[in-house]
PDB file of all heavy atoms in Angstrom:
ATOM      1  N   GLN A 191      95.701 276.350  58.006  1.00 98.00           N
ATOM      2  CA  GLN A 191      95.051 276.618  59.282  1.00 98.00           C
ATOM      3  C   GLN A 191      93.595 276.193  59.266  1.00 98.00           C
ATOM      4  O   GLN A 191      92.949 276.113  60.292  1.00 98.00           O
ATOM      5  CB  GLN A 191      95.092 278.151  59.589  1.00 98.00           C
ATOM      6  CG  GLN A 191      96.462 278.707  59.869  1.00 98.00           C
ATOM      7  CD  GLN A 191      96.446 280.215  59.966  1.00 98.00           C
ATOM      8  OE1 GLN A 191      96.986 280.892  59.083  1.00 98.00           O
ATOM      9  NE2 GLN A 191      95.838 280.783  60.986  1.00 98.00           N
ATOM     10  N   PHE A 222     100.728 282.419  60.819  1.00 98.00           N
ATOM     11  CA  PHE A 222     100.477 283.813  61.181  1.00 98.00           C
ATOM     12  C   PHE A 222      99.262 284.412  60.479  1.00 98.00           C
ATOM     13  O   PHE A 222      99.155 285.634  60.315  1.00 98.00           O
ATOM     14  CB  PHE A 222     101.725 284.678  60.888  1.00 98.00           C
ATOM     15  CG  PHE A 222     102.996 284.108  61.409  1.00 98.00           C
ATOM     16  CD1 PHE A 222     103.965 283.599  60.582  1.00 98.00           C
ATOM     17  CD2 PHE A 222     103.205 284.053  62.793  1.00 98.00           C
ATOM     18  CE1 PHE A 222     105.132 283.051  61.101  1.00 98.00           C
ATOM     19  CE2 PHE A 222     104.382 283.507  63.308  1.00 98.00           C
ATOM     20  CZ  PHE A 222     105.340 283.002  62.471  1.00 98.00           C
ATOM     21  N   GLY A 223      98.350 283.575  60.035  1.00 98.00           N
ATOM     22  CA  GLY A 223      97.185 284.040  59.275  1.00 98.00           C
ATOM     23  C   GLY A 223      97.336 283.779  57.791  1.00 98.00           C
ATOM     24  O   GLY A 223      96.369 283.712  57.048  1.00 98.00           O
ATOM     25  N   GLY A 224      98.581 283.598  57.356  1.00 98.00           N
ATOM     26  CA  GLY A 224      98.861 283.400  55.927  1.00 98.00           C
ATOM     27  C   GLY A 224      98.364 282.079  55.379  1.00 98.00           C
ATOM     28  O   GLY A 224      98.367 281.863  54.159  1.00 98.00           O
ATOM     29  N   LYS A 225      97.906 281.169  56.290  1.00 98.00           N
ATOM     30  CA  LYS A 225      97.394 279.907  55.819  1.00 98.00           C
ATOM     31  C   LYS A 225      95.956 279.696  56.297  1.00 98.00           C
ATOM     32  O   LYS A 225      95.481 278.585  56.397  1.00 98.00           O
ATOM     33  CB  LYS A 225      98.315 278.752  56.278  1.00 98.00           C
ATOM     34  CG  LYS A 225      99.710 278.850  55.652  1.00 98.00           C
ATOM     35  CD  LYS A 225     100.686 277.866  56.261  1.00 98.00           C
ATOM     36  CE  LYS A 225     102.080 278.005  55.617  1.00 98.00           C
ATOM     37  NZ  LYS A 225     103.094 277.160  56.282  1.00 98.00           N
ATOM     38  N   GLU A 226      95.283 280.823  56.610  1.00 98.00           N
ATOM     39  CA  GLU A 226      93.875 280.692  56.984  1.00 98.00           C
ATOM     40  C   GLU A 226      93.054 280.463  55.715  1.00 98.00           C
ATOM     41  O   GLU A 226      92.254 279.544  55.666  1.00 98.00           O
ATOM     42  CB  GLU A 226      93.395 281.954  57.722  1.00 98.00           C
ATOM     43  CG  GLU A 226      91.952 281.805  58.216  1.00 98.00           C
ATOM     44  CD  GLU A 226      91.435 282.960  59.074  1.00 98.00           C
ATOM     45  OE1 GLU A 226      92.249 283.712  59.661  1.00 98.00           O
ATOM     46  OE2 GLU A 226      90.195 283.102  59.168  1.00 98.00           O
ATOM     47  N   LEU A 297      89.662 287.332  52.762  1.00 98.00           N
ATOM     48  CA  LEU A 297      89.090 287.544  54.104  1.00 98.00           C
ATOM     49  C   LEU A 297      88.852 289.032  54.403  1.00 98.00           C
ATOM     50  O   LEU A 297      88.558 289.393  55.556  1.00 98.00           O
ATOM     51  CB  LEU A 297      90.022 286.941  55.144  1.00 98.00           C
ATOM     52  CG  LEU A 297      89.995 285.419  55.262  1.00 98.00           C
ATOM     53  CD1 LEU A 297      91.248 284.902  55.959  1.00 98.00           C
ATOM     54  CD2 LEU A 297      88.752 284.949  56.014  1.00 98.00           C
ATOM     55  N   ALA A 334      94.482 287.451  55.960  1.00 98.00           N
ATOM     56  CA  ALA A 334      94.675 287.440  57.421  1.00 98.00           C
ATOM     57  C   ALA A 334      96.170 287.539  57.760  1.00 98.00           C
ATOM     58  O   ALA A 334      97.014 286.920  57.119  1.00 98.00           O
ATOM     59  CB  ALA A 334      94.128 286.155  58.010  1.00 98.00           C
ATOM     60  N   PHE A 335      96.473 288.334  58.761  1.00 98.00           N
ATOM     61  CA  PHE A 335      97.809 288.345  59.329  1.00 98.00           C
ATOM     62  C   PHE A 335      97.663 288.806  60.780  1.00 98.00           C
ATOM     63  O   PHE A 335      97.070 289.839  61.042  1.00 98.00           O
ATOM     64  CB  PHE A 335      98.721 289.306  58.553  1.00 98.00           C
ATOM     65  CG  PHE A 335     100.210 289.099  58.800  1.00 98.00           C
ATOM     66  CD1 PHE A 335     101.124 289.261  57.767  1.00 98.00           C
ATOM     67  CD2 PHE A 335     100.688 288.754  60.061  1.00 98.00           C
ATOM     68  CE1 PHE A 335     102.481 289.071  57.990  1.00 98.00           C
ATOM     69  CE2 PHE A 335     102.061 288.579  60.286  1.00 98.00           C
ATOM     70  CZ  PHE A 335     102.959 288.744  59.248  1.00 98.00           C
ATOM     71  N   ARG A 336      98.189 287.985  61.653  1.00 98.00           N
ATOM     72  CA  ARG A 336      98.216 288.256  63.097  1.00 98.00           C
ATOM     73  C   ARG A 336      97.716 289.670  63.478  1.00 98.00           C
ATOM     74  O   ARG A 336      98.388 290.663  63.184  1.00 98.00           O
ATOM     75  CB  ARG A 336      99.648 288.084  63.604  1.00 98.00           C
ATOM     76  CG  ARG A 336      99.780 287.663  65.055  1.00 98.00           C
ATOM     77  CD  ARG A 336     101.197 287.355  65.368  1.00 98.00           C
ATOM     78  NE  ARG A 336     101.359 286.621  66.631  1.00 98.00           N
ATOM     79  CZ  ARG A 336     102.501 286.069  67.014  1.00 98.00           C
ATOM     80  NH1 ARG A 336     103.568 286.125  66.259  1.00 98.00           N
ATOM     81  NH2 ARG A 336     102.566 285.412  68.155  1.00 98.00           N
ATOM     82  N   GLY A 337      96.569 289.683  64.074  1.00 98.00           N
ATOM     83  CA  GLY A 337      95.956 290.974  64.453  1.00 98.00           C
ATOM     84  C   GLY A 337      94.747 291.304  63.589  1.00 98.00           C
ATOM     85  O   GLY A 337      93.830 291.973  64.007  1.00 98.00           O
ATOM     86  N   PHE A 338      94.812 290.877  62.303  1.00 98.00           N
ATOM     87  CA  PHE A 338      93.613 290.797  61.447  1.00 98.00           C
ATOM     88  C   PHE A 338      92.903 292.143  61.324  1.00 98.00           C
ATOM     89  O   PHE A 338      91.725 292.243  61.594  1.00 98.00           O
ATOM     90  CB  PHE A 338      92.690 289.735  62.068  1.00 98.00           C
ATOM     91  CG  PHE A 338      91.751 289.045  61.108  1.00 98.00           C
ATOM     92  CD1 PHE A 338      92.198 288.125  60.187  1.00 98.00           C
ATOM     93  CD2 PHE A 338      90.374 289.302  61.155  1.00 98.00           C
ATOM     94  CE1 PHE A 338      91.323 287.461  59.336  1.00 98.00           C
ATOM     95  CE2 PHE A 338      89.482 288.641  60.325  1.00 98.00           C
ATOM     96  CZ  PHE A 338      89.962 287.707  59.418  1.00 98.00           C
ATOM     97  N   PHE A 433      86.089 284.980  67.081  1.00 98.00           N
ATOM     98  CA  PHE A 433      85.883 285.317  65.689  1.00 98.00           C
ATOM     99  C   PHE A 433      84.786 286.353  65.657  1.00 98.00           C
ATOM    100  O   PHE A 433      83.773 286.203  66.362  1.00 98.00           O
ATOM    101  CB  PHE A 433      85.403 284.091  64.886  1.00 98.00           C
ATOM    102  CG  PHE A 433      86.465 283.041  64.641  1.00 98.00           C
ATOM    103  CD1 PHE A 433      86.603 281.952  65.466  1.00 98.00           C
ATOM    104  CD2 PHE A 433      87.349 283.190  63.574  1.00 98.00           C
ATOM    105  CE1 PHE A 433      87.582 281.007  65.231  1.00 98.00           C
ATOM    106  CE2 PHE A 433      88.317 282.236  63.324  1.00 98.00           C
ATOM    107  CZ  PHE A 433      88.442 281.140  64.164  1.00 98.00           C
ATOM    108  N   MET A 462     100.775 275.185  64.775  1.00 98.00           N
ATOM    109  CA  MET A 462     101.579 275.908  63.803  1.00 98.00           C
ATOM    110  C   MET A 462     102.814 276.531  64.445  1.00 98.00           C
ATOM    111  O   MET A 462     103.356 277.528  63.998  1.00 98.00           O
ATOM    112  CB  MET A 462     100.734 276.950  63.081  1.00 98.00           C
ATOM    113  CG  MET A 462      99.995 277.924  63.989  1.00 98.00           C
ATOM    114  SD  MET A 462      98.831 278.968  63.058  1.00 98.00           S
ATOM    115  CE  MET A 462      97.258 278.381  63.675  1.00 98.00           C
ATOM    116  N   PRO A 500      88.773 277.601  61.178  1.00 98.00           N
ATOM    117  CA  PRO A 500      90.240 277.622  61.092  1.00 98.00           C
ATOM    118  C   PRO A 500      90.837 277.939  62.474  1.00 98.00           C
ATOM    119  O   PRO A 500      90.163 278.512  63.327  1.00 98.00           O
ATOM    120  CB  PRO A 500      90.508 278.786  60.130  1.00 98.00           C
ATOM    121  CG  PRO A 500      89.281 279.605  60.127  1.00 98.00           C
ATOM    122  CD  PRO A 500      88.147 278.662  60.395  1.00 98.00           C
ATOM    123  N   THR A 501      92.053 277.503  62.657  1.00 98.00           N
ATOM    124  CA  THR A 501      92.724 277.881  63.900  1.00 98.00           C
ATOM    125  C   THR A 501      93.234 279.302  63.674  1.00 98.00           C
ATOM    126  O   THR A 501      94.182 279.535  62.929  1.00 98.00           O
ATOM    127  CB  THR A 501      93.874 276.908  64.217  1.00 98.00           C
ATOM    128  OG1 THR A 501      93.260 275.629  64.416  1.00 98.00           O
ATOM    129  CG2 THR A 501      94.641 277.307  65.454  1.00 98.00           C
ATOM    130  N   ALA A 502      92.529 280.243  64.243  1.00 98.00           N
ATOM    131  CA  ALA A 502      92.742 281.665  63.963  1.00 98.00           C
ATOM    132  C   ALA A 502      92.074 282.475  65.059  1.00 98.00           C
ATOM    133  O   ALA A 502      91.468 281.906  65.974  1.00 98.00           O
ATOM    134  CB  ALA A 502      92.132 282.024  62.596  1.00 98.00           C
ATOM    135  N   ALA A 503      92.190 283.781  64.930  1.00 98.00           N
ATOM    136  CA  ALA A 503      91.549 284.700  65.885  1.00 98.00           C
ATOM    137  C   ALA A 503      92.010 284.448  67.326  1.00 98.00           C
ATOM    138  O   ALA A 503      91.270 284.709  68.267  1.00 98.00           O
ATOM    139  CB  ALA A 503      90.019 284.610  65.780  1.00 98.00           C
ATOM    140  N   SER A 504      93.206 283.935  67.481  1.00 98.00           N
ATOM    141  CA  SER A 504      93.800 283.646  68.788  1.00 98.00           C
ATOM    142  C   SER A 504      92.976 282.662  69.602  1.00 98.00           C
ATOM    143  O   SER A 504      93.147 282.536  70.795  1.00 98.00           O
ATOM    144  CB  SER A 504      93.979 284.925  69.623  1.00 98.00           C
ATOM    145  OG  SER A 504      94.737 285.863  68.916  1.00 98.00           O
ATOM    146  N   SER A 505      92.026 281.990  68.960  1.00 98.00           N
ATOM    147  CA  SER A 505      91.029 281.255  69.726  1.00 98.00           C
ATOM    148  C   SER A 505      91.192 279.736  69.639  1.00 98.00           C
ATOM    149  O   SER A 505      90.335 278.990  70.140  1.00 98.00           O
ATOM    150  CB  SER A 505      89.626 281.660  69.241  1.00 98.00           C
ATOM    151  OG  SER A 505      89.485 281.231  67.890  1.00 98.00           O
ATOM    152  N   GLU A 706      97.525 286.772  69.161  1.00 98.00           N
ATOM    153  CA  GLU A 706      97.608 288.032  68.440  1.00 98.00           C
ATOM    154  C   GLU A 706      97.818 289.282  69.290  1.00 98.00           C
ATOM    155  O   GLU A 706      98.561 290.178  68.865  1.00 98.00           O
ATOM    156  CB  GLU A 706      96.319 288.239  67.612  1.00 98.00           C
ATOM    157  CG  GLU A 706      96.162 287.175  66.548  1.00 98.00           C
ATOM    158  CD  GLU A 706      94.811 287.280  65.854  1.00 98.00           C
ATOM    159  OE1 GLU A 706      93.796 286.913  66.491  1.00 98.00           O
ATOM    160  OE2 GLU A 706      94.767 287.743  64.726  1.00 98.00           O
TER     161      GLU A 706
HETATM  162 MO1  LIG B   2      94.723 284.682  62.093  1.00 94.25          MO
HETATM  163  S1  LIG B   2      95.292 286.505  61.492  1.00 94.25           S
HETATM  164  O1  LIG B   2      94.749 283.521  61.032  1.00 94.25           O
HETATM  165  O2  LIG B   2      94.274 284.548  63.622  1.00 94.25           O
END
Side-chain angles (χ1 to χ4, degrees):
Q191 292 172 250
F222 311 110
K225 296 171 181 174
E226 184 175 338
L297 286 161
F335 197 144
R336 207 173 196 169
F338 206 72
F433 287 96
M462 54 189 112
T501 297
S504 304
S505 64
E706 296 173 286

